[in-house]
Amino acid sequence: MGNEEKEVTKPECSFKFHEFTANVGDLSIACHTIKMENCLYVWIGGKENAMDDLSFAIGSPYEKEPLTTKIMGPVANDFSSNLAKRLSKKLSVAVYVSFNVQVDNLSLPGIERRLRDEFNSHPEIL
């Protein structure tokens, strides 16, 4: 029995990366997204490259709203969970959100609006 060499082809990476910065009021934010097969990861942060918060949301055939869970970070801070839930519902994919910016309730809609504008301008990241 001979040693047959089989040529192995590796599939191309299907991950799509995108990043942008924005000013929302007095707040400067950076956003990084990674689009994977049936999944999206969104990191929102400031000047520090920290990841102190992470939530996950996924649609369920048994529930009207996507199911969410806080993977890390304070449970009282529900910005990432709420954003993950809304994105998962809108995009019909599983969504991870890491929200690492101290904001008030007035800044949050501006951040979400900027994120939505970026998704509309770059549909390839969805």
Side-chain angles (χ1 to χ4, degrees):
M1 305 216 203
N3 288 339
E4 295 178 20
E5 287 189 36
K6 293 183 181 180
E7 187 173 319
V8 177
T9 57
K10 295 180 182 177
E12 278 190 43
C13 178
S14 63
F15 288 17
K16 295 179 183 174
F17 300 89
H18 182 76
E19 59 185 60
F20 66 93
T21 57
N23 291 321
V24 179
D26 294 337
L27 189 63
S28 179
I29 63 164
C31 183
H32 300 270
T33 63
I34 303 172
K35 173 66 176 132
M36 299 165 270
E37 187 175 333
N38 298 320
C39 185
L40 178 68
Y41 172 81
V42 178
W43 180 89
I44 299 170
K47 294 178 182 176
E48 313 85 38
N49 289 328
M51 187 171 147
D52 299 325
D53 178 82
L54 183 64
S55 290
F56 176 72
I58 189 168
S60 167
Y62 306 108
E63 300 289 334
K64 182 179 176 185
E65 294 291 319
L67 303 173
T68 55
T69 189
K70 185 75 146 189
I71 296 172
M72 61 188 267
V75 177
N77 179 352
D78 60 356
F79 293 135
S80 63
S81 298
N82 291 335
L83 183 56
K85 181 185 281 191
R86 284 193 291 279
L87 288 173
S88 181
K89 186 174 183 178
K90 179 179 179 182
L91 303 173
S92 299
V93 296
V95 177
Y96 293 90
V97 172
S98 181
F99 199 91
N100 303 285
V101 181
Q102 296 298 322
V103 296
D104 54 28
N105 288 336
L106 300 174
S107 301
L108 192 59
I111 292 171
E112 288 191 44
R113 192 175 319 110
R114 182 62 182 91
L115 190 60
R116 184 181 59 240
D117 291 347
E118 193 71 19
F119 288 161
N120 290 337
S121 299
H122 301 279
E124 68 276 5
I125 62 176
L126 297 178

